[in-house]
């Protein structure tokens, strides 16, 4: 039983990390495309951008719902505390989802599309901003009492480091959205997103460097973690790998390759997630509550694990099948080859 008590929370921490990564990756390019739609120079171009998402974006958000349910079941204390602490950014994210969902459907049937275009783009931006402040708030740490209950202010997540995290996350979404559109568009519209991808790559890199530099100064636990043995060697390698990935990304954009920029962007997101996981683990609420303190009973974790073990392959297979079936470019006579 002691082995299960120690091992099962680690398994569920890894499962939650997988769900979060898949959500950020898949819905990330959706949000990026939505933000980019605000810059489209014509209604026809904006229509191509939104059509490229038509068969994907609903399924992509499923991973967020699955992660929320898994967090509630596996770490109920963390679920309650985090939602209380991040009340404002989470509601901002939910309102953003509502705006973009309604706008996406209503736009297709509206004669005057301007309002729905703005709602879709603004909703995407608001959802990404809310996620950024939520991430910044978790990294900053959440004030709790001895029982792990939230005792801070709902405004604690709004700080300079959280703002920097939010803006960098938005740039990351624009980057992966641009590289996705490179694969799905052609002609002058594709040329435009080669440019937006290159710009977003630089701004994301600058934001990541700024976060890396200021994090040890603002957060004591992160500084202790970064400079502890043997993690200091791993954290020294991660920025080097990140710069190499950005260099490969920029190189693939200069070479006008279509799939490679998207792959390099995925690897950048994966590297970032690994770095964050190493900083946070074993805390589920940095730096107050560990995964062992917040975990549900071992019997509950085992019961959930049996069902989630069947669900994950099904959902992955569905997502893969969906992208294979609806692969290819969205073009018109003006922007196609």
């Amino acid at each position: 039983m002691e082995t299960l008590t120690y091992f099962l929370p680690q398994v569920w921490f890894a499962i939650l990390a997988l769900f979060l990564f898949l959500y950020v990756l898949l819905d990330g390019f959706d949000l990026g495309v939505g933000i980019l739609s605000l810059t489209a120079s014509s209604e026809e171009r904006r229509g191509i951008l939104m059509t490229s998402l038509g068969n994907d974006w609903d399924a992509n958000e499923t991973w967020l719902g699955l992660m929320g349910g898994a967090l509630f079941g596996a770490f109920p204390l963390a679920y309650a505390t985090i939602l209380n602490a991040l009340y404002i950014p989470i509601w901002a994210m939910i309102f953003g989802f509502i705006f973009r969902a309604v706008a996406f459907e209503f736009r297709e049937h509206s004669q005057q599309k301007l309002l729905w275009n703005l709602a879709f783009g603004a909703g995407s931006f608001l959802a990404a901003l809310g996620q950024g402040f939520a991430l910044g708030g978790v990294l900053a740490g959440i004030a709790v009492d001895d029982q792990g209950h939230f005792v801070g202010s709902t405004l604690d997540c709004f700080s300079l480091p959280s703002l920097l995290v939010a803006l960098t996350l938005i740039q990351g979404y624009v980057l992966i959205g641009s590289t996705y559109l490179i694969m799905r568009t052609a002609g002058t519209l594709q040329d435009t997103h080669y440019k937006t991808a290159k710009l977003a790559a630089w701004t994301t890199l600058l934001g990541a460097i700024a976060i890396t530099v200021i994090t040890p100064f603002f957060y004591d636990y992160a500084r202790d973690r970064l400079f502890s043995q043997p993690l200091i060697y791993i954290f020294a390698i991660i920025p080097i790998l990140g710069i190499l990935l950005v260099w490969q990304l920029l190189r693939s954009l200069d070479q006008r390759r279509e799939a490679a920029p998207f792959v390099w962007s995925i690897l950048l997101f994966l590297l970032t997630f690994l770095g964050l996981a190493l900083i946070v683990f074993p805390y589920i609420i940095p730096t107050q509550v560990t995964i062992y303190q917040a975990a549900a009973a071992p019997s509950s974790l085992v019961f959930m694990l049996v069902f989630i073990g069947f669900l994950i392959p099904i959902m992955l297979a569905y997502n893969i099948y969906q992208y294979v079936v609806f692969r290819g470019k969205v073009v018109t006579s003006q922007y196609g080859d």
Side-chain angles (χ1 to χ4, degrees):
M1 183 60 69
E2 291 183 2
T3 302
L4 286 178
T5 304
Y6 181 77
F7 178 69
L8 286 173
Q10 295 182 12
V11 172
W12 276 101
F13 183 85
I15 291 174
L16 287 172
L18 173 64
F19 289 164
L20 182 59
F21 174 72
L22 289 173
Y23 167 74
V24 169
L25 175 64
L26 298 177
D27 202 42
F29 69 74
D30 285 359
L31 294 172
V33 172
I35 295 169
L36 286 166
S37 70
L38 294 171
T39 66
S41 59
S42 67
E43 186 59 40
E44 186 176 12
R45 289 193 170 198
R46 188 174 293 107
I48 294 175
L49 266 60
M50 299 183 72
T51 300
S52 71
L53 302 177
N55 301 305
D56 303 329
W57 71 288
D58 281 330
N60 294 341
E61 291 181 354
T62 305
W63 294 103
L64 181 63
L66 189 60
M67 189 196 73
L71 180 64
F72 173 76
F75 303 103
L77 175 62
Y79 178 88
T81 301
I82 291 173
L83 261 64
N84 278 331
L86 305 178
Y87 190 84
I88 296 176
I90 288 176
W91 271 109
M93 178 183 69
I94 292 173
F95 279 124
F97 286 154
I98 293 172
F99 290 156
R100 67 196 291 256
V102 172
F104 193 92
E105 301 297 336
F106 277 45
R107 177 188 176 277
E108 295 299 319
H109 306 285
S110 175
Q111 296 298 321
Q112 301 295 327
K113 300 183 184 298
L114 178 61
L115 174 63
W116 304 116
N117 291 335
L118 293 175
F120 183 77
S124 299
F125 182 85
L126 182 61
L129 188 67
Q131 292 175 18
F133 274 109
L135 176 60
V138 170
L139 292 177
I142 296 173
V144 300
D145 60 18
D146 294 337
Q147 286 74 42
H149 300 143
F150 178 59
V151 294
S153 168
T154 54
L155 300 178
D156 289 346
C157 61
F158 297 101
S159 62
L160 178 60
S162 294
L163 176 61
L164 183 58
V165 170
L167 294 177
T168 303
L169 181 64
I170 290 172
Q171 291 304 309
Y173 283 163
V174 171
L175 169 62
I176 200 167
S178 296
T179 56
Y180 171 77
L181 288 172
I182 289 172
M183 296 190 299
R184 298 302 305 274
T185 59
T188 57
L189 188 54
Q190 186 187 59
D191 294 338
T192 298
H193 291 108
Y194 273 113
K195 297 176 183 177
T196 59
K198 185 175 293 188
L199 178 61
W202 282 111
T203 54
T204 303
L205 175 62
L206 292 175
I209 292 173
I211 292 172
T212 303
V213 170
I214 71 170
T215 294
F217 294 97
F218 279 89
Y219 308 134
D220 293 338
Y221 81 94
R223 180 172 63 249
D224 296 339
R225 192 79 169 175
L226 287 171
F227 296 103
S228 65
Q229 298 284 351
L231 291 178
I232 187 173
Y233 303 109
I234 298 176
F235 287 121
I237 294 173
I238 288 177
I240 297 173
L241 291 177
I243 292 173
L244 288 175
L245 288 175
V246 172
W247 176 73
Q248 289 287 355
L249 170 62
L250 293 171
R251 185 166 172 265
S252 66
L253 291 171
D254 289 334
Q255 294 174 344
R256 310 282 293 182
R257 299 174 67 181
E258 294 193 344
F262 189 69
V263 173
W264 292 121
S265 299
I266 292 175
L267 292 176
L268 274 171
F269 271 75
L270 179 59
L271 182 66
T272 302
F273 260 74
L274 290 175
L276 291 175
L278 287 173
I279 291 177
V280 171
F281 184 83
Y283 293 101
I284 192 73
I285 304 176
T287 56
Q288 305 295 326
V289 181
T290 67
I291 58 176
Y292 310 109
Q293 294 170 316
S299 58
S300 298
L301 296 179
V302 171
F303 180 78
M304 291 172 55
L305 193 59
V306 172
F307 287 93
I308 211 73
F310 287 103
L311 184 60
I312 292 177
I314 293 173
M315 290 189 63
L316 287 174
Y318 170 75
N319 275 120
I320 293 171
Y321 176 77
Q322 173 184 252
Y323 286 110
V324 170
V325 170
F326 296 106
R327 68 188 184 277
K329 295 185 178 296
V330 181
V331 297
T332 68
S333 58
Q334 181 176 355
Y335 297 109
D337 293 330

